[in-house]
Amino acid sequence: MWTALQNVVFPLDRDPDVLPLYSDPETWTVIEGESVKVSSNAHIDNVLGRHSARVPEGRRVSFASYFNAFPASYWQHWTNVKRVRLEVETSGSGTVLVYRSNSQGAQQRVESRRVSGVSTSTFDLPLKTFGDGGWYWFELEADSGDLILSRGAWLTDAKQKQAGKASLGTTTFNKPDYCVRTLDALAQSPEVLELIDRIFIIDQGNEKVADEEGFDKVSAALGDQLEIITQANLGGSGGFSRSMAETLKREDSDFLILLDDDVKIEPESILRAVAFARHSKNPTIVGGHMFDLLNRPVLHAFAEIVDQGPFIWRPQHREYFPHDFRTTNLRQTRWMHSRMDADYNGWWFCLIPKKVIQEIGLSLPAFIKWDDSEYSLRARSKGFHTVSLPGVALWHVSWLDKDDSIDWQAYFHARNRIVAGLLHSPFPKSGGLLRDSFRLDLKHLLSMQYYAVTLRHMALRDILNGPEHMHKTLPTQLSILRNTASSFSEMQVIRKQDDMPSTNRGKQVFPIDPPFSGPKGPRGASLAIFTAKMTLRHWFTSPSARNRKRPEVELAKRDATWFRTPHYDSALISTADGSGKSWYQRDRATFRRLLRESLSLHKQLRDNWSSVRASYQRALPEITSVGEWNKTFTQQ
């Protein structure tokens, strides 16, 4: 019996911006050795429905696209699927052409078939030679008259390793509108609901999902499949852990899919993730990629890794991201044809087998940051891998308009990174982690970001106090961090133009860098000289009275870099989201105090690394257990 692994789909909302993700919007030819764009054959008006499209007379359309090509290398490597069947239903006369690629992105024609009238074309395709990478896809070319694609699917006759359903878990804090839209998309996807056991909405805010306009309608449509659970704000880790705990109680659930709240889903991705998990050779965490919700053809995350030296997360090939599919499609993006193995996947979309939860426990009580990466590292230590699967994705509000390293989240960035390093770093004395942590402190201090450093030091002290603090402070830590902000001028945002102070030297303007690249600072010997010079300046000199009374300069957010800001006594700097400006002021006494603290705290942690590490590793099974989390869930 042949079952679907992946259906050919088109945009739910007929958004022309996302069409490049579903069909190749351009035809390419080679002229004098160069690839040249010659015409555009894919158009939103030719999308006839969720599964159907028109190829106009005499035209050709390729489905070598993110959502409709088949990532053969991932299926060959991780699952028991040995062959796939491509089934294409058409009406009209033309040609169906099947192609494949290798790991270098080289295109190879596999087979073609003439069609006329109402036809069903099937192609049995082996999964044997995709060890390092490669995709399958098909193209349609119309003869006289339009050629209609009625349906397309990639199928398998392999037996499923698991056949259970999946539950969905979304954690939300005051984003009821997003949640209702996600629930509505699910309600309109009956083929997805057939695979869903229970949808958990863990509501941790005071703007309740149940009170949102449209909720009653989607609630009625989903019926008993929907369950709203209200609890205190325990962050993403608290909400997702609650979904894990609830899923463990569900006999019909073999998997849990975690979804962020501020997302727009592609329901087909849920089908594909479940199919991949059911066919995986061993229980496998299956993650989805992240596109930018506000710039939808732009891909931000493909395969995430933890760089073991400094112990920091990053894309596997960060030089390729963000990637805009309007600029370069799948066939032109050679790196995308290599299989990329991930260390972890963000919990914006992540399927976790129940067997994994049963064996390794729930999330670290991290509140936010590093809970997803630590979980996959913990799972890998028990033999469970994470796969970030192409063709499985959603749209998420990106972090381009945020800078959470300098707000209250600085505490969680610092603490949870080091806790994860204590648990999983292979190096004695942390490798490069503590050195890099101190370097970040110094960058913040030279940039007059004293609030961020204060929170980072709170994090280091809490780490040294032992793992018991993580559950104990989970419900209350956020309010402490936010209240601390009132003591720091850089955390007071000036939003009204009439309230903006004038500056002594005006706005400083620097050359604009290429999109997504960002300005480049000093490196090597130049960096060492810069760091020494700026540290001595901030340590030995005080800002002038004139620059204390008014900001010395104004800087755009993009120009307020770690290697420009230290040159000034004070600066009026735009917020990341552009809603206002903050006044950063250099203070010699604060700089000296925090730098001494940073040196002392990092030395304490380095000197006691082995004993602190042992305490966290001993505590890990307990602090991630259902029993310990249940105590925290009941704290109101």
Side-chain angles (χ1 to χ4, degrees), residues 72 139 262 459 525 558:
E139 300 181 7
D262 51 347
R558 68 171 181 269

Side-chain angles (χ1 to χ4, degrees), residues 423-444:
L423 295 170
H424 302 293
S425 173
F427 300 108
K429 302 294 184 181
S430 84
L433 169 55
L434 293 181
R435 181 171 61 251
D436 190 62
S437 177
F438 172 74
R439 181 185 62 84
L440 288 175
D441 272 6
L442 185 55
K443 285 174 67 174
H444 285 304

Side-chain angles (χ1 to χ4, degrees), residues 305-432:
I305 63 170
V306 175
D307 190 337
Q308 294 286 349
F311 208 83
I312 188 67
W313 59 42
R314 63 173 175 85
Q316 187 172 131
H317 294 286
R318 57 182 146 199
E319 67 271 20
Y320 297 141
F321 296 96
H323 177 80
D324 191 338
F325 277 89
R326 289 168 299 196
T327 303
T328 313
N329 61 23
L330 175 62
R331 288 185 291 176
Q332 301 299 305
T333 310
R334 295 173 64 90
W335 62 261
M336 206 173 287
H337 293 259
S338 297
R339 193 189 76 244
M340 293 191 187
D341 296 334
D343 287 339
Y344 75 98
N345 200 96
W347 281 356
W348 50 74
F349 183 117
C350 193
L351 177 149
I352 303 175
K354 184 162 72 173
K355 180 175 175 56
V356 174
I357 303 172
Q358 290 169 332
E359 185 153 340
I360 76 168
L362 312 187
S363 169
L364 196 70
F367 196 82
I368 58 169
K369 306 301 177 188
W370 283 88
D371 45 3
D372 46 15
S373 49
E374 187 282 326
Y375 197 85
S376 280
L377 293 177
R378 192 183 347 148
R380 188 174 65 185
S381 72
K382 300 294 185 180
F384 303 115
H385 292 279
T386 297
V387 177
S388 293
L389 182 62
V392 173
L394 48 62
W395 292 270
H396 188 289
V397 175
S398 80
W399 44 78
L400 290 180
D401 291 335
K402 302 177 182 178
D403 189 353
D404 57 20
S405 68
I406 61 173
D407 65 11
W408 57 268
Q409 296 174 78
Y411 171 89
F412 297 108
H413 273 292
R415 186 195 66 174
N416 296 339
R417 177 189 177 191
I418 293 176
V419 168
L422 287 163
L423 295 170
H424 302 293
S425 173
F427 300 108
K429 302 294 184 181
S430 84

Side-chain angles (χ1 to χ4, degrees), residues 249-292:
K249 304 174 186 176
R250 307 289 306 176
E251 292 184 0
D252 291 338
S253 288
D254 277 349
F255 313 102
L256 169 65
I257 299 176
L258 302 178
L259 296 173
D260 263 344
D261 54 357
D262 51 347
V263 300
K264 183 179 181 68
I265 65 169
E266 167 49 82
E268 170 71 15
S269 293
I270 295 173
L271 296 175
R272 296 176 185 183
V274 172
F276 194 89
R278 285 175 169 177
H279 284 282
S280 293
K281 297 170 187 175
N282 299 296
T284 300
I285 297 172
V286 183
H289 297 156
M290 190 196 102
F291 286 89
D292 189 340

